[in-house]
Each structure stands twice: as C-alpha cells, then as structure tokens.
Amino acid sequence: VVVRQWCAETEQLYPSDHVPSEQVDRIRQNIRDLDKGLGAYPLDSPHSSHQRWQRLTSYITPQMIDRLLPPSGEFSSATGSVYEDQELQKAQKALHRNSDDQPTAPSTSLVDSSDRFNFVHSNIKHSFPRDAAPDVVMKYSKDKSWLLKSLLSTQWHENPALLLGEIQLSFVIIFVGQNFSGLEHWKFLLHLTLYCREALEDHHLVGSLFAPLLDLLCVQLSECPSEFAASVLEQDNFIAAVLDALVLNVYECPDQQVKTRLEKQIGSLRNLLREKFSWSLPFGKQLQEMEDEEDGEYAPQVVYLD
C-alpha cells in the first residue's frame, strides 16, 4: 500500500514518509473500505487512457526518472535546467553590450539545484570532432551522426532505448507540466537524431533507434491537441525543419533496405500530419530539388590554407 498526502495549501503531493505510520496501518487494515469509491478501469481498450499512457512512456524507466528529475521526483512549470541557464547568460550578455558597466561573471544557475532537471546536453552546433579538418567540420555541422554516436557512447551507454526514453520523458514534461525545459530538450533530441544522414547506414541504429523513433513521433503527435501544436510545436518552424531533414536524409540514403523501411513509416507520419493538423510533409524528391536550387553556384566551398 502506497499512501501519499495532498496539501491543498501548497498544492503538493507529499511522499509516504510524510504520512504517519498509524494512518498507513489503518488504511492497510481497512483496504476493502476503498472498494465503494472505485470503478472498473478499461485497461484492455486500445483507446483507454492506460493504453495511451503506455504508448507515451514505454521506454521510461524508474532509474531514468531518478536520474533526470529533481531529487524530490516532482517538477512544475518553474523547474529549471541548463536551458534556462543558457537563456539567462544570453540576456546578461545582451545587457552588458548595452551598458557601460563592466561585465560580471554570468550566473551558473537560474534556479536552486534541488529543483532542476538533469538533462543530457551538448552544443548542437559543435557536432564534429575536436581539431577536425575543414571538410569534416563542414560535413558534420549539417549531419549530426558523429555527435549522436559520441553521446550514445558517453551518455547513454550505447543503449538507444535510453535516448528514446529521454525523448518520451521530455515530451511528457511539456505535455503534462507545460515546462520550457522539457520543450527545449525535446527539440534538442529531435535535432540530434533527425538531422543524421550517415547514421542511417547503420542497420543496428535503424532498428534500435530510428524506426522506433518514427513510431514514437506518431504517438506523440497523435496526442497533441491542435491548439497545442499551433502554439508550441510550430514555433520557430521547428517541426517542419526537423521533419524535412528526416525525409531528405532517408530519401538520399544509399541503403535501399533502410530507405524502404523508413519511407513506409514516414508515409504513416505524413498521413497523420495531414489528417490531424492539415500539415503537408514534402516528399524527398521535392526537398532534394529545393536544396539543389538553393546551393548551385552559391554552395559553400571548403578552402584549404597552406
């Protein structure tokens, strides 16, 4: 029996150690008294809240929650992370540029350490090896495969399921908690994965990461109300950009087996976007033609200096 106590004044659900042991014993001894307030729960229905929640959280583990959430295991819309720190530092730099005062050292944290998410984070713009040659820098600045494999090794113990779980948890933090950190982390993880091109040639990653990710995206987007998508997911045109990158990368994948598998899933995603949000997801050939037009004679060139 798990007993937690709700405080109407602070609107917090206190853990079991806040409940007197006598009260817990009394509830345990009279457990059947709760039956009159219970009802049948449709666990087996594919459209039940339980089944929908299972699909949204299938990769999240108790260990992941302990690692990523604040020590209390609870969060609110005000719970912070490294993303708020970055916004604070940007604001401080802008303030110093417009001020004659000497700049002060930036604050290391916007919120107390006891109310912070412990998200995996890296500079998405610095997605290439240290001291890389210019052509390597150019390649991996656009293709995030090197950074993805690096973070899988150093942060997720070569286990793509941990990355998928983090994508699910960050989405739940947005969807349930309306938290800025969750949104920014979800965007970071989608940018990290969907902008990968070289990694699509790795059959292990396709089966353990990219294919499940497309299914996961369909589940997440199917749960989004239209107004939520319009106000949150469409801001900065982010969703359109990452999905276009995914479609183009899959279209240009030299492995026909991988291409056939993922394009079938992209088709399901395209249908969902059209029916639910009236979004039009372009096809790979269209995106390739658009990219060729944008590059042409103005394409960036790698210049080697003697």
Side-chain angles (χ1 to χ4, degrees):
V1 176
V2 177
V3 181
R4 303 188 67 177
Q5 188 170 21
W6 173 255
C7 177
E9 184 176 344
T10 62
E11 295 187 343
Q12 286 184 288
L13 188 63
Y14 290 118
S16 301
D17 55 14
H18 282 67
V19 183
S21 58
E22 299 82 5
Q23 184 177 349
V24 175
D25 291 338
R26 186 167 61 253
I27 293 173
R28 183 180 290 113
Q29 292 169 8
N30 300 284
I31 191 71
R32 289 298 178 188
D33 289 348
L34 298 176
D35 288 356
K36 58 189 177 185
L38 302 178
Y41 195 89
L43 291 176
D44 297 329
S45 169
H47 303 295
S48 70
S49 297
H50 177 261
Q51 291 295 325
R52 291 162 58 199
W53 185 252
Q54 289 291 316
R55 289 192 289 270
L56 281 172
T57 60
S58 55
Y59 291 96
I60 299 175
T61 65
Q63 295 79 11
M64 185 181 300
I65 291 174
D66 289 342
R67 177 170 56 87
L68 297 179
L69 263 58
S72 65
E74 301 175 353
F75 70 91
S76 69
S77 59
T79 300
S81 72
V82 64
Y83 297 101
E84 279 80 6
D85 297 344
Q86 291 175 343
E87 290 300 312
L88 176 63
Q89 291 172 10
K90 288 179 184 177
Q92 289 176 328
K93 289 179 180 178
L95 180 63
H96 296 324
R97 282 197 297 267
N98 297 322
S99 171
D100 294 331
D101 298 335
Q102 290 294 321
T104 57
S107 300
T108 57
S109 175
L110 185 63
V111 296
D112 183 75
S113 59
S114 64
D115 190 29
R116 287 175 60 83
F117 296 111
N118 187 32
F119 289 139
V120 170
H121 184 67
S122 182
N123 185 351
I124 197 71
K125 295 181 179 179
H126 198 282
S127 53
F128 42 84
R130 185 187 298 272
D131 301 324
D135 56 335
V136 175
V137 171
M138 181 177 172
K139 174 184 177 180
Y140 289 124
S141 291
K142 186 174 183 180
D143 179 354
K144 304 302 177 182
S145 297
W146 180 86
L147 181 59
L148 171 67
K149 291 182 177 181
S150 175
L151 290 177
L152 276 171
S153 174
T154 60
Q155 301 294 333
W156 292 302
H157 312 292
E158 302 288 356
N159 185 358
L162 295 178
L163 170 53
L164 292 170
E166 205 155 318
I167 293 172
Q168 286 187 326
L169 184 57
S170 59
F171 183 80
V172 168
I173 289 170
I174 310 165
F175 198 59
V176 176
Q178 301 290 299
N179 184 286
F180 169 86
S181 294
L183 174 62
E184 291 303 304
H185 194 53
W186 186 72
K187 289 166 64 175
F188 166 75
L189 295 175
L190 290 188
H191 194 162
L192 174 68
T193 50
L194 300 186
Y195 273 83
C196 288
R197 179 168 299 191
E198 183 181 82
L200 292 176
E201 300 176 44
D202 185 327
H203 280 236
H204 170 68
L205 279 181
V206 170
S208 61
L209 176 61
F210 294 110
L213 175 58
L214 287 177
D215 290 336
L216 186 157
L217 267 178
C218 283
V219 170
Q220 291 182 339
L221 293 174
S222 68
E223 291 294 334
C224 289
S226 298
E227 60 274 12
F228 180 82
S231 62
V232 177
L233 302 187
E234 292 183 23
Q235 63 177 234
D236 302 328
N237 214 29
F238 173 78
I239 281 289
V242 294
L243 293 183
D244 285 358
L246 166 69
V247 171
L248 181 59
N249 288 337
V250 171
Y251 179 75
E252 295 184 340
C253 179
D255 190 315
Q256 190 60 43
Q257 183 181 351
V258 169
K259 184 175 178 178
T260 301
R261 177 179 183 178
L262 296 184
E263 282 191 334
K264 182 178 180 180
Q265 292 181 276
I266 290 173
S268 299
L269 180 59
R270 181 178 286 111
N271 292 336
L272 170 66
L273 295 174
R274 182 178 61 250
E275 294 169 6
K276 188 174 179 66
F277 305 111
S278 297
W279 292 354
S280 178
L281 183 61
F283 288 86
K285 186 176 182 179
Q286 294 173 279
L287 292 168
Q288 189 179 62
E289 291 173 351
M290 291 167 57
E291 187 177 69
D292 290 343
E293 289 177 4
E294 290 175 359
D295 289 345
E297 61 180 305
Y298 301 106
Q301 300 291 322
V302 177
V303 178
Y304 292 91
L305 302 177
D306 295 331

